[in-house]
Amino acid sequence: MQNIKNVIFDLGGVILNLDFKKTFSAFEALSFKDFTPIFNKVYQYEFVSLYETGKISSEEFRKNLREVLEIDVEDQVLDAAWNAMLLDFPLKNIQFLQEIGKRKRIFVLSNTNDIHKTAAEKILEKEHPGITWDKLFEKSYFSHIMQDRKPNISIFKQVLNENGLLASETLFIDDSIQHVEGAQKAGLHALHLKDGMSITELGI
């Protein structure tokens, strides 16, 4: 870790606690259909990937959800179920980022979407008033804004190139193994944050 000058963090499952089962349960309660095949850490329906890369709008995403789940509910009901997986930003994670940001250049790179990003920002503000992405990170990267997503090598290259980072000096941390492998293919050092692990324990 001595040669690491830059760290790129995933958001959900690394900094923001997640519980996918809460979203699965919320949608299954609405539709009586198994939501797991539609969206999970490894696989997702094409319309979810299109939403994560900004190729369709929130309105189109909700329309697809209603069609797949065969339900007719209001937007706020769909959004609440979709956001149910977003839990909290532990104080120790925020303090860790503030500390490591004094020693290294740090960034966030997240596969996300407009509904989740908006909800996550509200959680962050509620739990840690005055804290924003800009105060935690040198720069924040979100897939739906970049119109690209992990584990594509191109998204890692974009972050490196825009910030003048050397891959050999950069560590990427993610809770999804396929994203870790994508970063490694792009030449970065990469660490898989497995269930039960915390960024505060990594010694970086």
Side-chain angles (χ1 to χ4, degrees), residues 13-176:
V14 175
I15 298 166
L16 168 65
N17 282 335
L18 299 179
D19 186 346
F20 288 92
K21 292 180 181 178
K22 288 185 178 295
T23 283
F24 300 159
S25 297
F27 277 119
E28 287 162 10
L30 292 173
S31 67
F32 303 104
K33 290 178 177 284
D34 182 9
F35 192 75
T36 309
I38 297 173
F39 175 80
N40 57 68
K41 285 177 68 172
V42 178
Y43 170 82
Q44 50 202 350
Y45 272 29
E46 183 180 9
F47 77 87
V48 181
S49 294
L50 290 174
Y51 188 40
E52 280 194 342
T53 52
K55 304 297 196 313
I56 63 172
S57 67
S58 295
E59 290 72 24
E60 291 172 296
F61 172 71
R62 295 186 186 104
K63 179 176 181 289
N64 276 280
L65 278 179
R66 291 186 177 98
E67 291 175 352
V68 169
L69 298 173
E70 297 180 331
I71 55 176
D72 184 16
V73 296
E74 296 180 349
D75 288 356
Q76 57 264 37
V77 176
L78 283 178
D79 291 359
W82 182 234
N83 290 332
M85 70 179 75
L86 310 179
L87 301 184
D88 65 303
F89 289 91
L91 177 60
K92 66 178 183 179
N93 288 354
I94 301 301
Q95 292 175 332
F96 172 78
L97 292 172
Q98 291 173 325
E99 188 277 329
I100 194 174
K102 298 174 184 177
R103 299 183 285 108
K104 301 180 187 294
R105 299 178 67 186
I106 64 172
F107 305 82
V108 67
L109 173 61
S110 174
N111 279 1
T112 191
N113 54 81
D114 188 55
I115 295 174
H116 275 171
K117 179 176 179 287
T118 300
E121 287 170 347
K122 289 179 179 178
I123 294 171
L124 182 62
E125 173 60 27
K126 180 180 179 180
E127 294 181 343
H128 309 283
I131 298 297
T132 63
W133 309 130
D134 290 343
K135 290 186 178 180
L136 288 174
F137 304 100
E138 182 173 329
K139 193 167 182 180
S140 304
Y141 289 91
F142 301 101
S143 61
H144 68 294
I145 297 173
M146 299 173 75
Q147 297 198 326
D148 197 357
R149 70 190 302 274
K150 301 174 291 187
N152 297 341
I153 293 175
S154 54
I155 200 168
F156 297 105
K157 293 291 189 181
Q158 181 175 342
V159 176
L160 293 176
N161 293 338
E162 285 188 3
N163 297 283
L165 309 179
L166 295 178
S168 60
E169 297 176 345
T170 304
L171 173 67
F172 173 70
I173 302 172
D174 200 294
D175 65 324
S176 296

Side-chain angles (χ1 to χ4, degrees), residues 177-189:
I177 187 62
Q178 68 271 23
H179 299 165
V180 169
E181 292 170 348
Q184 290 171 333
K185 290 176 182 177
L188 287 77
H189 299 277

